[in-house]
Amino acid sequence: MPRPQPFRPSPLAAALALVFVSCSSAAQAADGEQTLNTVTVSGGNTPLAVSASPNASQAQVTAAQIAQMNVVSTEDTLRYVPGLNVRQRYTGDRNAVISARTSVGSTPSASSLVYADGLLLANLLGNSYSYPPRWNMIAASEIESMDVLYGPFSALLPGNSAGATVFITTRRPEATELHVDALRTQQKFALYGTDSTYNTHQEQMSGAFRVGNLRVSLMANHLNAYGQPMSYATGAASTGSGSTAVSGFSRDAGTLNEGRWVWGGYGIDHSIQNTAKIRLDYDFSARTRASLTYAEFRNDSDSSAESYLRNADGSTYWGTVAGQRISTGTNQYVTVKAADFGHSMSATTNRLWGLGLNTQPSDELRIELVSSHYSTPQDTSRAATNGMLQGDSGAGTITYGDGTGWQNADLRAIWRGLTGHTLTGGYHVDQYSYSSLKYDTSAWRSDTTTRLSTQAEGKTRTDALYLQDAWKLAPAWTFTSGLRHEYWQTFEGYYYDRSLSSASKRFDDRDGHYTSPKATLAWQAHPDWLLKASLARAYRMPTVTELYATATSATGQKYIADADLKPEKILAAELAAEGAVGGGLLRVSLFQENKQDYILSQRNSITGITALSNVDKTRVQGAEVAWSGNDVGLRGLDLQGSITYAESEVVKDAARPEYEGRPLAIPRWRLAGFASYRASDAWSASLGARYSSRYTDLNPAFANYDLYGASSGFWVADARLSYRFAPKASASIGMNNIGAEKYYAYHPYPQRTLFAQVKWDY
């Protein structure tokens, strides 16, 4: 098969664009000035992917709701959305991944999508904690609304929408505005030998102005964040003698109920994050608008460690290069190495270019073009071989990920010119490029390298055509059918490992065609009640890092990619009823998701190796109830709440039959509730609560979930009080995790955190 060409839209896309633009010009010329004022594009910000969606389950977060929450980063705004969990381990965490009601584990980054004004923020280079959405490209103060769709029922979206799709819409300025925000947080954290306070501050400014038909929006954000230890140096005791001059161990039972000793915490992140963005919107006419976005996010991080061990003189013990046997009791010892106390640094620069065109040539036709380019011109990670013991000099590794990124484009149109039908169709193309080069170095904080250790690189590309028809069968009945056809390619895959020459190879290029039909039947059974039934096929393509990015972590854990992975084949179904109840809106949903060739990443507890493979069949089924209402029993009191129940299992796994019948890592129960009360124009308050049962593990020997190393259940509550002390100024205080709950997504989540915020809006 010939190697694919560099990223460019196909001739079909160019032809469609030419036809659409020609139609637009002709229609505007024919309509004249009078008709241009009847329908305006600039006032309608809702993306076509939302307005044309047949999805039965939807949720929305508004700017008014966001104003009542304790929000540092954009992902905080999703905290109370039904069926969702965002894995944010500390303020400033750059690995905040969405987990939806059918998503397996707490870090399935490739099973959900995030867009901002149509630009893709979801990082589909991989499917793990290392590939979260690029939340930093959006500030909470910019958001007008957030729409959440559940499931792969829209032909306009790829199979990555099987979990949830978040559409962020930002405000379009009509006049000059300015928003200034200063925030401080303080987390009190205690676990094992750590008992510390972590302070974070953020300064943010956003604003906009208009000159004629040109709107200019600006945003700048600075975050100086400190996090608690993310991981811990642990081990089981061995029989034998060891040194008795060191003390300070903690002890508990591990996830497999094994006794373990804890002697240090690492992954203590201090990051400096800076974001700058400019967006230009230009109205060529009342029917045609174009936008250009440029955003840059920079992060500098220092990840350090603390040792709980003390020498006899009280000084800190950092282990030894070869490892020292330290006594933990009579005839028992653990081996403590300097590498247990990891020290690393990273510096990244992320850039996003976005182009949008929205035009309405006639009352029946609307066209939307969105294209984006995301790149990392700098991505450097440094790690010391012997942790904190060696300080700022000595041997280590340097990993370069420069040039990794993605490009994509969507050209779509919606046409209402055929009586009883609303047609939506379009073309999509994307390309993902990955590159990682890891070098040994004699000076880990410098740019001096000695020899290449590992190298991984590769690309994927998807071209898709889709068509969807919403057919009004009768006044109360609508049947929406869709078809999405995708041509997927992976190419230029390469892996090199100096220590394992047998694993080093250049992989064969692969491609395939995949067709996904969709169908939704909607019945307006009563003016207040809408019933929907949906069925959809979808494919979640392997990401480029799942195919090629075999790697070894700083702690020596091996992660094995698989270049022969098949796409996940998804069959999703949902029954839903939505109607007015108790002065609010009630939604009841029954959902099921069957997967063939589910891509599973599983760590072998004996070898320490994590390998990817296709599991033959899995199933998830459940129910969700969500309700929201405004001015509920009291003017100014808004309430929302949800309950999600899910059951899951591995139906067939020929490679690991012992997993068959075992539940997947999906919480059985999730609950969320949020109440806000506007007592007056000056005072407002809110209270939120979240519950999740634990994420189970496929390993039947897994015994303990409510501790480090497991994904535990939790019950946490948050509160906020705000006061507007001047017409354009307000102050707020808040608290997250009021009860100081200790809970985990392998790593520990934040404990009780205080918030103080001052805002000024002009």
Side-chain angles (χ1 to χ4, degrees):
M1 184 190 76
R3 177 158 295 172
Q5 297 298 310
F7 175 89
R8 60 175 65 93
S10 73
L12 174 60
L16 287 172
L18 181 60
V19 171
F20 286 158
V21 171
S22 299
C23 290
S24 172
S25 300
Q28 290 177 32
D31 289 347
E33 287 297 322
Q34 296 300 316
T35 58
L36 287 179
N37 293 327
T38 60
V39 179
T40 62
V41 170
S42 58
N45 294 343
T46 304
L48 273 180
V50 176
S51 59
S53 170
N55 289 50
S57 290
Q58 301 187 25
Q60 188 178 67
V61 182
T62 65
Q65 292 171 320
I66 293 171
Q68 300 298 321
M69 300 178 188
N70 296 323
V71 173
V72 179
S73 304
T74 300
E75 62 268 29
D76 294 333
T77 60
L78 298 171
R79 191 175 290 131
Y80 311 106
V81 171
L84 292 191
N85 179 61
V86 180
R87 173 188 170 271
Q88 188 187 63
R89 303 164 300 166
Y90 57 93
T91 303
D93 185 4
R94 298 170 304 286
N95 293 331
V97 174
I98 293 176
S99 174
R101 62 193 188 187
T102 60
S103 303
V104 180
S106 60
T107 59
S109 61
S111 69
S112 292
L113 296 168
V114 178
Y115 296 90
D117 295 321
L119 305 179
L120 182 67
L121 299 186
N123 185 349
L124 300 182
L125 288 163
N127 186 38
S128 75
Y129 62 87
S130 296
Y131 304 98
R134 295 310 188 190
W135 304 107
N136 302 76
M137 297 300 182
I138 294 291
S141 60
E142 299 180 276
I143 297 174
E144 180 179 275
S145 65
M146 303 175 73
D147 294 280
V148 182
L149 310 181
Y150 299 82
F153 301 109
S154 171
L156 282 64
L157 299 172
N160 308 88
S161 63
T165 303
V166 179
F167 291 95
I168 303 172
T169 302
T170 60
R171 290 193 312 278
R172 308 282 177 161
E174 295 299 329
T176 300
E177 60 181 62
L178 180 63
H179 310 276
V180 180
D181 183 333
L183 175 74
R184 298 292 184 271
T185 74
Q186 183 180 85
Q187 180 197 176
K188 177 66 176 175
F189 183 87
L191 183 65
Y192 299 123
T194 299
D195 189 353
S196 298
T197 299
Y198 300 95
N199 297 303
T200 291
H201 65 86
Q202 176 177 260
E203 294 76 42
Q204 185 179 107
M205 181 175 68
S206 62
F209 61 90
R210 182 171 180 173
V211 180
N213 290 341
L214 176 66
R215 297 174 174 87
V216 181
S217 302
L218 303 165
M219 185 270 285
N221 186 80
H222 172 75
L223 179 67
N224 189 332
Y226 290 84
Q228 74 275 13
M230 288 292 94
S231 300
Y232 295 87
T234 67
S238 301
T239 301
S241 60
S243 168
T244 59
V246 175
S247 61
F249 289 98
S250 296
R251 190 179 184 185
D252 69 357
T255 56
L256 303 181
N257 211 30
E258 77 283 13
R260 67 180 181 187
W261 297 84
V262 185
W263 54 88
Y266 60 97
I268 305 173
D269 186 68
H270 173 214
S271 61
I272 306 292
Q273 303 176 27
N274 292 291
T275 304
K277 185 172 72 172
I278 181 171
R279 178 187 174 96
L280 307 176
D281 291 275
Y282 189 80
D283 295 336
F284 290 97
S285 70
R287 292 180 179 267
T288 301
R289 180 184 67 234
S291 63
L292 177 66
T293 301
Y294 174 75
E296 182 165 306
F297 165 62
R298 295 186 179 184
N299 175 76
D300 293 284
S301 172
D302 188 319
S303 180
S304 60
E306 64 176 321
S307 172
Y308 305 148
L309 304 182
R310 298 293 180 267
N311 294 305
D313 62 2
S315 60
T316 302
Y317 180 76
W318 293 109
T320 63
V321 172
Q324 178 68 41
R325 289 165 58 152
I326 306 297
S327 174
T328 57
T330 304
N331 203 34
Q332 283 190 332
Y333 72 90
V334 294
T335 301
V336 180
K337 305 184 298 296
D340 294 340
F341 308 100
H343 191 190
S344 62
M345 303 178 68
S346 65
T348 60
T349 299
N350 306 268
R351 290 176 183 160
L352 174 67
W353 285 96
L355 176 66
L357 175 66
N358 202 325
T359 183
Q360 193 160 340
S362 67
D363 292 349
E364 294 80 23
L365 179 64
R366 177 183 168 191
I367 303 165
E368 184 179 89
L369 170 66
V370 180
S371 179
S372 62
H373 181 278
Y374 186 94
S375 64
T376 52
Q378 180 193 15
D379 185 355
T380 306
S381 299
R382 310 171 187 275
T385 299
N386 293 307
M388 301 292 289
L389 179 68
Q390 70 183 64
D392 293 336
S393 61
T397 60
I398 303 177
T399 303
Y400 297 102
D402 304 2
T404 294
W406 63 83
Q407 304 158 289
N408 56 44
D410 272 280
L411 176 63
R412 56 176 71 103
I414 185 168
W415 183 55
R416 298 182 175 89
L418 187 62
T419 302
H421 293 265
T422 299
L423 294 172
T424 308
Y427 168 76
H428 166 87
V429 60
D430 63 56
Q431 183 165 302
Y432 292 85
S433 302
Y434 176 75
S435 174
S436 177
L437 294 92
K438 185 177 182 179
Y439 292 90
D440 294 334
T441 178
S442 58
W444 73 281
R445 295 197 64 170
S446 74
D447 289 324
T448 303
T449 59
T450 54
R451 53 180 179 171
L452 182 65
S453 176
T454 62
Q455 179 179 354
E457 58 185 38
K459 296 178 180 179
T460 63
R461 173 174 169 141
T462 301
D463 293 78
L465 287 171
Y466 49 87
L467 181 65
Q468 183 170 281
D469 176 26
W471 179 17
K472 197 76 171 177
L473 299 172
W477 292 87
T478 303
F479 178 65
T480 302
S481 59
L483 194 69
R484 184 180 182 91
H485 181 78
E486 295 168 303
Y487 174 50
W488 176 77
Q489 306 168 75
T490 178
F491 50 98
E492 297 182 12
Y494 175 72
Y495 180 71
Y496 165 78
D497 189 334
R498 188 184 69 238
S499 63
L500 188 61
S501 58
S502 61
S504 303
K505 62 182 298 187
R506 186 165 293 281
F507 300 96
D508 293 336
D509 298 346
R510 294 169 51 202
D511 65 348
H513 291 267
Y514 305 92
T515 301
S516 304
K518 326 272 186 177
T520 296
L521 182 63
W523 176 36
Q524 192 75 49
H526 181 273
D528 290 337
W529 281 95
L530 177 66
L531 309 180
K532 284 188 176 183
S534 299
L535 184 67
R537 169 72 71 196
Y539 291 87
R540 202 280 278 178
M541 308 304 177
T543 64
V544 64
T545 57
E546 287 175 315
L547 295 166
Y548 307 123
T550 292
T552 302
S553 72
T555 57
Q557 295 180 351
K558 198 75 170 179
Y559 296 81
I560 308 296
D562 186 350
D564 295 321
L565 287 172
K566 303 173 187 177
E568 294 179 354
K569 188 177 182 180
I570 303 165
L571 181 62
E574 182 172 19
L575 297 173
E578 187 176 90
V581 172
L585 185 65
L586 174 70
R587 173 175 57 83
V588 180
S589 305
L590 302 176
F591 57 88
Q592 180 164 321
E593 180 184 279
N594 295 347
K595 284 185 180 179
Q596 297 179 33
D597 297 319
Y598 164 60
I599 300 174
L600 173 68
S601 175
Q602 183 70 10
R603 181 173 183 264
N604 187 303
S605 59
I606 298 175
T607 64
I609 294 175
T610 298
L612 288 160
S613 62
N614 287 112
V615 174
D616 300 84
K617 293 181 181 179
T618 63
R619 179 172 59 237
V620 183
Q621 55 190 5
E624 185 169 83
V625 179
W627 183 88
S628 62
N630 298 328
D631 296 325
V632 181
L634 183 66
R635 183 175 179 83
L637 178 62
D638 299 338
L639 301 175
Q640 67 181 63
S642 64
I643 302 174
T644 305
Y645 175 80
E647 289 185 345
S648 62
E649 69 171 320
V650 176
V651 178
K652 182 180 179 181
D653 188 354
R656 300 291 293 271
E658 67 271 24
Y659 289 166
E660 293 181 4
R662 294 280 299 169
L664 296 162
I666 299 176
R668 179 159 291 188
W669 291 99
R670 281 181 172 142
L671 286 76
F674 185 68
S676 63
Y677 177 55
R678 302 177 304 280
S680 66
D681 291 339
W683 288 96
S684 63
S686 67
L687 179 65
R690 294 165 287 141
Y691 169 80
S692 173
S693 56
R694 69 192 188 190
Y695 291 80
T696 55
D697 194 275
L698 284 174
N699 183 358
F702 212 92
N704 296 323
Y705 286 90
D706 295 321
L707 43 69
Y708 163 69
S711 293
S712 67
F714 59 84
W715 180 274
V716 294
D718 317 314
R720 180 181 176 91
L721 179 66
S722 299
Y723 174 61
R724 183 168 294 279
F725 58 87
K728 299 182 183 301
S730 63
S732 304
I733 57 172
M735 181 182 295
N736 279 358
N737 193 359
I738 296 172
E741 173 94 348
K742 293 182 180 180
Y743 61 114
Y744 309 85
Y746 186 92
H747 312 282
Y749 274 110
Q751 295 177 17
R752 183 183 293 120
T753 304
L754 300 175
F755 291 77
Q757 186 175 29
V758 177
K759 298 177 66 176
W760 182 76
D761 300 288
Y762 171 78

